[in-house]
Amino acid sequence: MVRKYWILILILFWIGPSIQAQIVLPQTIMAKVKEKQLKVRWEPQSKLEWERSKKEGYTIEIYKEDGGLVVKENIKPLPRDQWSKYIEGKTPTMADFYNGAVNLIYADRSELNDLEEIVDSENKKEAVDSLQLGLVLYSSTYKFEICELSGLGYKTKLEDYGIYRIKVYVGTDVSSAQEITIKSERFLKATGIPKMDAEFGNRVVRLSFLSKEFQNIYFGYFIDISEDNNRYKRLNEMPFVNTMDDIEGLDEAFPIKHVDTLQQNYKTYWFRLKGMDYFGDVSFKFSTVSGYGFDLIRKPPIIYHTDQTQDNKGLIQWRADKKDERLIQEYQVHRADSMKGEFIPVMTEISPSDREVKIPLTAKKNYFKIVMKPKDGRNISSQVLYIMGQDLEPPETPTGFTGTIDTAGIVTLTWNKNKEDDLWGYKLFESNRKTDEFTVMTHSPIPDTIITDTINLRTIKKEIYYQMIAVDDRNNRSPFTEILTIELPDKMPPDYPVIRKISFDGKQILLEWMESGSDDVASYSIYKRDINNKDASWSLIQEFSVSDSLGIYIDEEFQYESQYAYIMTATDESGLDSEPSPYQKVFTKKPKALFKDGIKSIEVDINKKKKTAKIIWELKEKEKIKELMIYRGKSEKEVSLWKIIDPDPNYLQVENLKKKTPMFYFIKPIYFEGDLSKSSKAIKVEIK
């Protein structure tokens, strides 16, 4: 089955979407009059309409405008068994078009299934149905006789000149009619023909032309060749067709190209272009181009050395094959301001035997290439090389140099872009002190106008300093910018103050301290804690500014016979607090003159048998006493607080006494007002 359509399948892959979309004719109905012979052809509007026409045929009606009906006929495809007599005598290629058309017209579903294998579509059946009709229409364009045999075309001889109206519809369904009006004196001949271009080479010619402008007139094109511009021979049996012209939404025009081999060089050949319309007729109009093949230069010139001379000229030396000198008309030097800029000739008519030139350097930047101009064919260029002109002028000092720093220590520096066209970039420098030597940040010039730097903020320095210069391609350097000062965010807490002395005189606690060594301290804070109270925390008792600091502080809030600890912190101008100072403590011992005598008597009763002792006392002003502090120890001088008890009962039971292990006991009353009593006399408890 596929063998039957091989030429049409080839077209499928060549023209692809044009056939499947059924876009073959510029209009759905076309007509042409040539020497009073009228030709009409049309496209079915759908696959369903085409299938109906195979059974009902197409009805064609031809009316003369100043008369009545001239022709009315019903046209159907020629039966399959009658096509052979029309195929006899045709070239193999044309015979394939005839065979492809008849096989597609009368193909059954099983035969069309073979085509589904080569169609790339999600809906293969719909695509093959479209392809089936499209291929028939396409093959009909190569030969109008195929169009007639397919039931999609009609021709007749007109008796008179005039205007004719043509109507075509399926069977008797006039509602499906397509119409066209034509003048009988009108010949469907092109008013022009595409211009053909030719590029000749070594025994070869590359022909090309644009067809989009003529796509409504010509279906394809033929090219003929001649050696004398008189007798021409056709190069292509089948017309060249530009399928790119039919793609919707594609505004760009793509040329038809053909490459042909020439028998010999330096002999003139003529090529003639003719168009074939949608009725298979070839145009009388044509365009012609001529030329000859020639030997090619195989190697381009290669620049191997460039230099700048003391008199500011560019020395260029190149290599080229001496065998090619006979093919060279001249060398040229082309120059541009940049690698991708426009190159223009600055020196021409250089002898084919020369390999060196000196050319004035008219700018700071010069890009050169050697162009070999052959006697025939395109110019051949060397590689592009750069030669720098003399430049002793430094760039301008950068402007707008500024910077910012964030809390993470990221410095962002920016500046305005210089206007010099030979600018290489910028170098930046930094220093921790304004008077110190600046160190380079960027060893190679940077092209940008922004750079970042990272600063360690855990430092005592308060500022960082920057400068910059501009550098051109010749390493000429601009003057330095003014020094840019960046103030650093304060992330370094101040040193703490030191409490160097603390004392108690019986009436007040005196603190003396040394101030912090940091120069940005704004205030000091003093904290206090009661050591005797295990649950007590540090509490702020005083905060004052540096200007109010006298290095001393008097604390009158205390209780006698207590121990207090003090610490200090410093806060800087950024609100950062120092570490706390080492604490200092003081004991508020009550002066003797202030101690009451709250004990009237004290004695001990020892029970040797039970190894117990009962310490009994009598208090003065018992109702004013809050609690009793019991001290004990192994000697009168080595005692410590043992426990605190209520005044009642008036005795203390001591258990588990050991022989020959004396213990000494003291009692000290504490009054509700906070006053202390003198200690009792020492009570010795011992079992001998």
Side-chain angles (χ1 to χ4, degrees):
M1 171 63 183
V2 175
R3 174 64 183 89
K4 299 177 183 179
Y5 312 125
W6 75 268
I7 187 67
L8 299 182
I9 291 172
L10 180 62
I11 292 173
L12 164 65
F13 288 105
W14 181 22
I15 55 124
S18 295
I19 284 182
Q20 296 188 49
Q22 296 189 22
I23 304 174
V24 176
L25 300 182
Q27 301 91 31
T28 57
I29 183 170
M30 297 183 68
K32 171 184 178 180
V33 176
K34 181 179 181 182
E35 298 176 355
K36 288 190 178 182
Q37 185 179 65
L38 172 66
K39 292 181 179 180
V40 184
R41 64 172 301 191
W42 56 89
E43 283 189 357
Q45 298 304 291
S46 66
K47 175 70 183 306
L48 180 61
E49 178 185 311
W50 185 43
E51 293 297 335
R52 283 180 56 199
S53 72
K54 293 180 187 179
K55 299 176 182 179
E56 303 175 33
Y58 276 104
T59 299
I60 181 167
E61 298 176 357
I62 303 175
Y63 297 86
K64 191 172 182 181
E65 190 177 54
D66 56 355
L69 181 66
V70 177
V71 172
K72 182 174 182 179
E73 288 191 30
N74 185 265
I75 302 167
K76 293 182 180 180
L78 187 71
R80 187 170 195 165
D81 57 1
Q82 296 181 26
W83 279 67
S84 59
K85 63 181 179 181
Y86 294 95
I87 300 175
E88 291 178 4
K90 298 295 189 292
T91 64
T93 301
M94 188 56 67
D96 282 327
F97 277 100
Y98 277 80
N99 285 318
V102 67
N103 288 326
L104 284 166
I105 292 170
Y106 295 105
D108 57 29
R109 189 73 250 170
S110 62
E111 292 176 314
L112 293 176
N113 288 341
D114 292 343
L115 284 177
E116 291 185 8
E117 298 177 4
I118 62 173
V119 172
D120 183 14
S121 174
E122 292 183 0
N123 191 336
K124 290 183 176 290
K125 181 181 180 303
E126 182 180 338
V128 168
D129 288 344
S130 177
L131 175 64
Q132 180 187 8
L133 173 57
L135 287 173
V136 172
L137 291 167
Y138 210 80
S139 61
S140 300
T141 307
Y142 284 88
K143 193 74 173 177
F144 188 72
E145 186 177 59
I146 300 177
C147 188
E148 293 179 280
L149 300 178
S150 301
L152 298 173
Y154 176 79
K155 71 179 177 182
T156 186
K157 192 76 172 180
L158 299 176
E159 296 295 333
D160 300 315
Y161 291 111
I163 299 175
Y164 291 85
R165 181 167 58 90
I166 305 163
K167 182 188 295 186
V168 177
Y169 53 89
V170 179
T172 59
D173 184 8
V174 181
S175 65
S176 65
Q178 304 180 61
E179 294 189 25
I180 189 171
T181 300
I182 189 169
K183 290 182 179 180
S184 62
E185 73 269 23
R186 177 186 173 189
F187 289 86
L188 191 60
K189 294 189 297 184
T191 57
I193 197 79
K195 177 181 177 296
M196 185 164 57
D197 295 319
E199 181 183 354
F200 288 87
N202 184 19
R203 294 189 178 183
V204 70
V205 61
R206 295 172 177 84
L207 304 170
S208 64
F209 58 92
L210 294 172
S211 58
K212 192 175 184 67
E213 180 183 349
F214 301 90
Q215 63 177 327
N216 292 336
I217 302 172
Y218 298 117
F219 168 71
Y221 297 87
F222 293 103
I223 298 177
D224 304 328
I225 184 173
S226 174
E227 296 182 5
D228 58 6
N229 198 23
N230 184 22
R231 292 166 296 177
Y232 279 86
K233 177 183 177 182
R234 185 140 295 171
L235 290 178
N236 52 315
E237 179 184 358
M238 304 305 298
F240 296 121
V241 179
N242 193 342
T243 59
M244 300 297 291
D245 291 343
D246 296 326
I247 299 178
E248 293 184 6
L250 186 64
D251 296 330
E252 183 180 357
F254 289 86
I256 293 177
K257 297 180 180 181
H258 175 69
V259 179
D260 196 38
T261 302
L262 306 177
Q263 291 184 355
Q264 65 184 73
N265 284 338
Y266 301 104
K267 177 180 179 178
T268 302
Y269 293 89
W270 285 263
F271 295 89
R272 184 172 66 187
L273 177 67
K274 288 188 173 185
M276 186 190 82
D277 64 20
Y278 290 88
F279 296 88
D281 295 328
V282 179
S283 68
F284 292 103
K285 293 274 187 177
F286 57 86
S287 62
T288 306
V289 67
S290 63
Y292 57 87
F294 47 82
D295 296 337
L296 294 178
I297 298 174
R298 299 184 178 182
K299 296 181 181 180
I302 298 175
I303 299 175
Y304 68 89
H305 179 71
T306 60
D307 199 3
Q308 179 202 81
T309 63
Q310 291 185 350
D311 57 352
N312 199 30
K313 290 183 179 180
L315 172 65
I316 306 175
Q317 296 174 320
W318 67 92
R319 297 188 182 94
D321 196 334
K322 189 171 181 61
K323 296 178 182 179
D324 290 334
E325 289 183 7
R326 65 182 180 85
L327 304 175
I328 301 173
Q329 178 179 328
E330 66 176 13
Y331 285 108
Q332 297 178 352
V333 179
H334 290 205
R335 181 200 169 277
D337 293 327
S338 66
M339 181 70 75
K340 296 182 179 180
E342 180 184 1
F343 282 84
I344 59 174
V346 292
M347 184 179 290
T348 59
E349 298 182 359
I350 302 170
S351 171
S353 61
D354 288 347
R355 298 292 186 272
E356 175 182 311
V357 294
K358 288 184 180 180
I359 188 164
L361 300 176
T362 57
K364 296 176 182 178
K365 291 184 176 181
N366 302 276
Y367 293 85
F368 292 105
K369 63 181 178 180
I370 299 298
V371 176
M372 179 189 288
K373 185 175 182 180
K375 294 176 181 177
D376 297 292
R378 296 180 179 180
N379 291 347
I380 305 172
S381 299
S382 71
Q383 78 276 28
V384 177
L385 288 180
Y386 173 66
I387 303 179
M388 189 179 295
Q390 286 184 357
D391 179 15
L392 302 177
E393 183 179 352
E396 294 290 331
T397 303
T399 61
F401 187 36
T402 186
T404 59
I405 186 170
D406 62 19
T407 55
I410 305 299
V411 178
T412 302
L413 304 173
T414 60
W415 55 92
N416 298 329
K417 186 176 181 179
N418 280 46
K419 297 180 179 180
E420 294 84 2
D421 59 3
D422 63 340
L423 188 73
W424 184 7
Y426 306 90
K427 281 192 170 186
L428 287 98
F429 304 81
E430 65 177 340
S431 177
N432 291 327
R433 293 183 178 84
K434 217 171 189 178
T435 55
D436 287 355
E437 182 179 353
F438 281 68
T439 57
V440 64
M441 292 171 56
T442 53
H443 294 282
S444 296
I446 62 171
D448 299 326
T449 57
I450 184 172
I451 192 174
T452 58
D453 191 20
T454 302
I455 303 299
N456 180 13
L457 298 180
R458 304 289 294 182
T459 178
I460 61 173
K461 65 182 179 182
K462 303 301 179 183
E463 295 172 330
I464 187 79
Y465 305 95
Y466 295 96
Q467 277 188 299
M468 66 175 297
I469 59 172
V471 184
D472 65 18
D473 288 339
R474 297 306 297 266
N475 208 24
N476 296 314
R477 303 186 174 198
S478 74
F480 278 90
T481 60
E482 295 292 330
I483 294 176
L484 174 64
T485 302
I486 301 292
E487 294 186 1
L488 305 184
D490 190 358
K491 292 291 184 180
M492 192 71 177
D495 295 333
Y496 55 76
V498 177
I499 301 175
R500 61 186 181 86
K501 185 178 180 182
I502 188 169
S503 59
F504 176 66
D505 62 2
K507 296 180 179 180
Q508 59 188 17
I509 301 171
L510 177 65
L511 278 75
E512 301 180 53
W513 72 85
M514 295 175 57
E515 294 185 342
S516 167
S518 301
D519 57 8
D520 62 344
V521 173
S523 63
Y524 293 103
S525 299
I526 300 177
Y527 297 85
K528 176 181 178 182
R529 186 166 70 88
D530 186 351
I531 297 177
N532 293 333
N533 186 354
K534 295 181 180 179
D535 297 328
S537 59
W538 292 100
S539 59
L540 177 66
I541 62 171
Q542 186 65 37
E543 184 176 12
F544 44 86
S545 65
V546 172
S547 60
D548 294 334
S549 172
L550 301 175
I552 61 172
Y553 176 72
I554 296 174
D555 184 10
E556 297 180 342
E557 299 292 332
F558 65 89
Q559 290 184 349
Y560 288 110
E561 299 301 310
S562 296
Q563 194 170 26
Y564 298 98
Y566 294 85
I567 58 173
M568 291 187 67
T569 62
T571 303
D572 65 16
E573 295 170 352
S574 298
L576 300 175
D577 294 326
S578 72
E579 295 288 333
S581 67
Y583 73 89
Q584 295 284 1
K585 60 184 179 178
V586 65
F587 179 72
T588 54
K589 185 176 182 180
K590 190 171 184 178
K592 292 183 179 181
L594 299 177
F595 280 80
K596 295 181 178 182
D597 186 3
I599 301 174
K600 187 175 183 180
S601 64
I602 186 171
E603 59 185 21
V604 62
D605 181 10
I606 298 175
N607 188 331
K608 295 181 180 180
K609 185 177 181 179
K610 294 183 179 181
K611 297 181 180 180
T612 62
K614 189 175 185 180
I615 303 174
I616 305 169
W617 58 80
E618 185 179 357
L619 302 176
K620 299 177 181 178
E621 300 179 322
K622 180 179 179 181
E623 69 279 1
K624 295 182 180 181
I625 296 175
K626 177 182 179 182
E627 54 193 6
L628 299 176
M629 300 175 68
I630 310 298
Y631 293 83
R632 75 173 181 176
K634 294 180 180 180
S635 69
E636 293 185 34
K637 295 182 179 181
E638 295 182 6
V639 294
S640 60
L641 181 64
W642 179 39
K643 61 173 65 177
I644 299 175
I645 62 175
D646 291 334
D648 287 321
N650 65 335
Y651 65 88
L652 175 67
Q653 186 76 18
V654 181
E655 306 286 344
N656 301 320
L657 298 178
K658 296 180 181 180
K659 288 184 178 182
K660 297 182 180 180
T661 306
M663 294 295 291
F664 294 87
Y665 292 84
F666 293 89
I667 298 174
K668 180 183 287 187
I670 300 176
Y671 291 84
F672 284 106
E673 294 84 356
D675 293 338
L676 298 178
S677 172
K678 295 179 181 178
S679 299
S680 67
K681 66 180 180 180
I683 299 298
K684 183 177 181 182
V685 178
E686 180 181 16
I687 298 177
K688 297 182 179 179

